[in-house]
């Protein structure tokens, strides 16, 4: 009887170890990484937008203005948003007037494609070695005046504390680079 109990204990231990090893790697890959989930409100006073502190840009640098108080496509130049982060996916949802857009980014370095009325954008999201900074590089090609133009946006997401998100954005275009830092407070 004692021998059967030990055999059952060994089998249970082996099954637990197998289950532990077989769990999806993405569960563990995200452990220790910054979590950007939540509703975020733009903090104009703490942001550095490049055209007077805290003022969202209104055009220029090769990027067309977007509807809704100077907000722009493909970057975070002000305006509130909601982020959902689970396992290996970051979903960012913004509402402009009555229009809601969502962008999805895989968090494993694989390319994500988001489609808008302006066309497709291709993004790659990668973590810093310590898991505190998420870098999202987005390339968007569009036609304007018969010419094809590709713009690259690099966003560096980091939490300065549990309730403050900083997104440093570098936008590259034929007219040069532009760097802004948008700060958001968690609702």
């Amino acid at each position: 009887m004692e021998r059967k109990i030990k055999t059952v204990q060994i089998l249970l231990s082996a099954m637990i170890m197998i289950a532990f090893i077989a769990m999806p790697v993405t569960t563990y890959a995200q452990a220790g990484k910054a979590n950007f989930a939540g509703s975020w409100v733009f903090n104009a006073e703490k942001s550095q937008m490049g055209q007077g502190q805290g003022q969202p840009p209104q055009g220029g640098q090769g990027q067309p203005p977007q509807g809704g108080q100077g907000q722009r496509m493909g970057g975070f130049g002000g305006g509130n948003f909601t982020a959902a982060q689970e396992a290996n996916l970051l979903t960012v949802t913004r509402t402009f007037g009555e229009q809601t857009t969502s962008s999805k980014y895989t968090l494993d370095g694989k390319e994500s494609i988001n489609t808008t009325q302006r066309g497709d954008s291709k993004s790659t999201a990668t973590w810093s070695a310590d898991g505190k900074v998420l870098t999202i590089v987005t390339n968007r090609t569009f036609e304007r005046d018969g010419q094809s133009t590709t713009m690259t946006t690099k966003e560096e997401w980091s939490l300065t504390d549990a309730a403050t998100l900083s997104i440093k954005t570098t936008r590259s275009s034929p007219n040069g680079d532009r760097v802004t830092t948008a700060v958001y407070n968690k609702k």
Side-chain angles (χ1 to χ4, degrees):
M1 181 71 154
E2 204 173 304
R3 188 172 177 190
K4 285 185 178 183
I5 291 173
K6 284 187 179 187
T7 303
V8 169
Q9 288 176 334
I10 291 171
L11 285 173
L12 284 173
S13 295
M15 289 171 50
I16 290 171
M17 286 182 65
I18 290 170
F20 181 75
I21 292 169
M23 283 183 170
V25 174
T26 56
T27 301
Y28 297 103
Q30 296 302 314
K33 303 239 185 330
N35 188 339
F36 303 111
S39 294
W40 298 97
V41 179
F42 180 64
N43 184 329
E45 288 182 19
K46 292 186 179 180
S47 297
Q48 298 173 4
M49 304 310 290
Q51 293 183 336
Q53 190 163 354
Q55 297 299 313
Q58 297 294 327
Q61 296 303 321
Q63 293 195 35
Q66 175 174 310
Q69 297 153 34
Q71 299 166 31
R72 298 171 152 310
M73 294 289 279
F76 290 89
N80 306 338
F81 69 94
T82 302
Q85 184 175 336
E86 46 198 50
N88 205 30
L89 183 67
L90 176 68
T91 303
V92 178
T93 304
R94 293 182 168 277
T95 300
F96 305 101
E98 294 188 21
Q99 181 181 1
T100 299
T101 60
S102 287
S103 298
K104 296 183 180 204
Y105 307 96
T106 58
L107 302 178
D108 58 3
K110 293 180 183 171
E111 186 175 76
S112 303
I113 298 175
N114 289 290
T115 302
T116 67
Q117 58 192 7
R118 293 190 163 275
D120 290 347
S121 62
K122 297 178 181 181
S123 303
T124 304
T126 55
W127 289 101
S128 61
D130 63 4
K132 293 182 180 181
V133 178
L134 178 67
T135 300
I136 301 172
V137 176
T138 301
N139 289 301
R140 177 176 290 110
T141 302
F142 60 94
E143 297 289 325
R144 180 184 257 176
D145 299 327
Q147 293 185 340
S148 180
T149 302
T150 299
M151 293 185 347
T152 300
T153 303
K154 176 182 172 185
E155 299 169 355
E156 297 172 79
W157 292 46
S158 62
L159 296 173
T160 54
D161 59 52
T164 309
L165 168 63
S166 174
I167 301 176
K168 178 183 174 186
T169 303
T170 304
R171 293 176 180 90
S172 297
S173 75
N175 296 333
D177 289 355
R178 176 157 186 233
V179 179
T180 59
T181 302
V183 176
Y184 298 87
N185 300 112
K186 199 170 206 177
K187 255 195 226 185

